[in-house]
Amino acid sequence: MKDRYDVIVVGAGPGGSIAAKNAAEKGLDVLLIEKRQQIGDPVRCAEGVGKLTLAAHIKPDRRWISADVKGSRIYSPDGTMVEMNEVMSGDEVGYVLEHKLFDRALAQEAAKAGAEVQVKTRATGLIMEDGFVKGVHIMQHGEMFDVRSSIVIGADGVESKVGRWAGIDTTLKPNDIETCAQFLVIDETIDSDYCKFYLGSETAPAGYIWVFPKGNHMANVGIGILGSQSGDKTRAITLLQAFIAKNMPNSKVIEMVVGGVPVAGPIKQSTTNGLMLVGDAAWQSDPLTGGGIINAMDAGKIAAEVAYEAIQKGDVSEKGLANYEKRWRKTIGKEIGMSLRVKNKFIKLSNDDLNSLAHSLDGVNIDEMNVFKLLYMLFKNNQKLMWDFKDMFADMVFNSS
Ligand code: FAD
């Protein structure tokens, strides 16, 4: 490790590795640090990603793809199933990754592009001078180092400290975080063609249960519920165990993870002098689905491009980095803002409401629709229920015309 770089990226998740790769490709001198000794392990993810959105960042490789699915099946509380192809299903359905290998492949890409990658290397604080972030205090193998940089990119995930160290409020309230638990299970009944989602207040209050196939009769079976819904009788893990006991009684659990996803919608501030936050550290995951891999990668790329521009211009102040705020808010921010509105409505839907929405799509070939037509169909058949969405619906009509 040198004592100075153009950019230090904290955290080698999808957001950090893509930021490091893109910054290095632009010719910047980049250090990527990861506190764990093995990048990507343990996996705290259901590993679902959309194919098209992923291909914008990296060429798909069989070595880190566990399953290639046809689409999704969503089950309402009374068991009514709505099926969608992968394009309609959004950014979390297409491939189910082997995340450990995927995260490692992204870090390798960063290294190949010229970034220096250091594992078992933890950021413990920021070097702050004259109101600017000037580098990172780093602990490696029990020793402390100060490493300086023009820009720090904080990609340290949902438990991010980098933002807080720089004075950005990244505190999440219980209503702003999805509490997740997930088992990797083996079961003969697993359908390898579809990612499945189960809704209902008894199944997953203000959330859902997922079954994402991994091939060889394995699947990630997990649950995400709003932190505010978690109580003695509604702990995520207890609900998940009940679901598995009922629906997959002969399954065997071979791995378990717990974790959280920010579902608060766009954060107020993601830059300050010398610093940008990306991915879960900047609450860029989708508030409705909890998916954040693609958004983290998209944001990482934007942050790298803005870092390059700012360093070229010699202005790494908050103003010099304003293009990062502008660009991600126009794309990712707009989408997660819309998802937040849908989520706020979704969490208030009763089981009867969910059943009614599912029934209204019975016999409809959703695969031949785009999101606009799907919303229109839902709106037409459930006017009272969908009334709160009328503004959003109008926005979509406006934007698509
Ligand atoms: P992370 O992937 O969290 O990476 C942050 C990295 O920073 C970690 O490697 C961490 O060790 C490192 N780090 C933290 N602090 C420091 C430090 N001080 N110094 C050095 N390194 C540090 N998203 C999807 O798109 N599809 C899914 O199917 C999906 N399923 C999910 C299921 C569960 C149970 C959970 C919890 C999340 C799921 N997500 C899913 C969300 C997705 O995992 C995250 O949105 C995504 O990983 C965010 O990427 P990131 O790079 O911002 O952060």
Side-chain angles (χ1 to χ4, degrees):
M1 231 171 357
K2 295 185 290 192
D3 56 14
R4 185 176 169 88
Y5 293 82
D6 294 324
V7 178
I8 300 175
V9 182
V10 180
S17 288
I18 287 291
K21 170 182 176 256
N22 282 276
E25 277 173 353
K26 293 221 162 270
L28 297 178
D29 196 11
V30 181
L31 172 65
L32 170 63
I33 60 168
E34 168 55 51
K35 69 179 178 185
R36 301 182 198 168
Q37 59 189 21
Q38 278 190 351
I39 287 170
D41 198 8
V43 173
R44 286 199 292 182
C45 187
E47 309 178 280
V49 284
K51 288 177 194 163
L52 287 178
T53 41
L54 179 72
H57 292 287
I58 184 167
K59 198 163 158 253
D61 186 330
R62 284 274 136 222
R63 281 172 295 186
W64 43 256
I65 295 171
S66 300
D68 182 343
V69 297
K70 291 181 183 156
S72 58
R73 287 183 169 164
I74 302 165
Y75 295 85
S76 74
D78 69 2
T80 305
M81 189 262 285
V82 176
E83 187 177 307
M84 292 191 212
N85 65 24
E86 41 152 313
V87 179
M88 287 289 294
S89 301
D91 271 355
E92 289 76 42
V93 175
Y95 294 129
V96 182
L97 302 171
E98 188 54 43
H99 208 297
K100 286 175 194 164
L101 301 182
F102 175 69
D103 270 9
R104 263 174 240 178
L106 293 181
Q108 275 170 17
E109 292 272 313
K112 274 197 252 162
E116 185 167 336
V117 183
Q118 294 279 343
V119 293
K120 215 165 186 320
T121 303
R122 177 189 293 268
T124 59
L126 295 174
I127 303 169
M128 300 289 300
E129 280 170 12
D130 308 322
F132 273 73
V133 175
K134 294 276 188 177
V136 181
H137 301 302
I138 287 176
M139 189 168 78
Q140 189 184 51
H141 312 311
E143 279 191 71
M144 297 293 297
F145 302 90
D146 275 2
V147 183
R148 294 185 160 261
S149 63
S150 303
I151 291 177
V152 171
I153 297 180
D156 51 336
V158 64
E159 287 141 15
S160 175
K161 294 198 178 115
V162 171
R164 243 184 306 142
W165 290 332
I168 298 176
D169 185 8
T170 56
T171 326
L172 288 158
K173 298 189 204 75
N175 231 6
D176 296 336
I177 192 152
E178 191 111 323
T179 307
C180 304
Q182 179 177 276
F183 295 131
L184 176 61
V185 303
I186 299 188
D187 190 65
E188 285 297 320
T189 66
I190 288 163
D191 177 350
S192 57
D193 285 336
Y194 289 91
C195 285
K196 296 186 173 172
F197 299 88
Y198 296 83
L199 309 176
S201 57
E202 279 91 45
T203 309
Y208 64 88
I209 280 187
W210 63 82
V211 179
F212 283 11
K214 296 262 299 169
N216 295 322
H217 303 294
M218 287 194 289
N220 289 325
V221 183
I223 183 169
I225 60 171
L226 266 195
S228 56
Q229 297 283 327
S230 183
D232 283 349
K233 289 191 185 138
T234 52
R235 283 172 62 218
I237 190 114
T238 317
L239 292 164
L240 183 60
Q241 282 164 331
F243 176 86
I244 290 178
K246 187 172 163 208
N247 297 285
M248 307 166 117
N250 299 317
S251 62
K252 304 267 185 303
V253 172
I254 57 170
E255 241 177 75
M256 185 198 148
V257 288
V258 290
V261 182
V263 290
I267 197 168
K268 280 205 181 84
Q269 182 189 358
S270 66
T271 54
T272 186
N273 297 328
L275 177 86
M276 290 178 272
L277 297 178
V278 310
D280 279 6
W283 307 354
Q284 285 164 339
S285 43
D286 187 301
L288 186 63
T289 63
I293 298 174
I294 298 294
N295 284 355
M297 292 167 88
D298 288 351
K301 184 164 187 286
I302 301 172
E305 287 165 2
V306 172
Y308 175 73
E309 286 160 20
I311 289 171
Q312 290 296 103
K313 284 186 193 148
D315 181 5
V316 298
S317 68
E318 193 174 326
K319 209 165 152 221
L321 301 176
N323 217 12
Y324 174 64
E325 293 275 5
K326 218 184 281 170
R327 284 181 60 192
W328 81 256
R329 286 185 196 284
K330 232 170 125 182
T331 49
I332 302 165
K334 206 166 165 202
E335 276 175 26
I336 64 180
M338 214 179 253
S339 277
L340 180 66
R341 284 162 70 184
V342 179
K343 182 202 89 175
N344 287 339
K345 172 73 180 163
F346 169 76
I347 59 177
K348 290 191 194 125
L349 294 179
S350 66
N351 285 351
D352 286 345
D353 295 339
L354 291 167
N355 289 331
S356 163
L357 290 171
H359 295 166
S360 69
L361 295 174
D362 223 13
V364 175
N365 188 352
I366 299 177
D367 286 357
E368 286 178 4
M369 290 183 174
N370 55 27
V371 178
F372 169 73
K373 278 195 185 152
L374 176 67
L375 262 181
Y376 176 72
M377 177 71 75
L378 286 170
F379 192 78
K380 205 173 86 176
N381 294 324
N382 304 275
Q383 286 196 14
K384 203 161 156 249
L385 256 182
M386 299 292 287
W387 192 244
D388 290 358
F389 291 113
K390 65 181 188 314
D391 295 342
M392 197 172 89
F393 191 69
D395 281 354
M396 287 186 79
V397 174
F398 179 73
N399 289 330
S400 67
S401 59

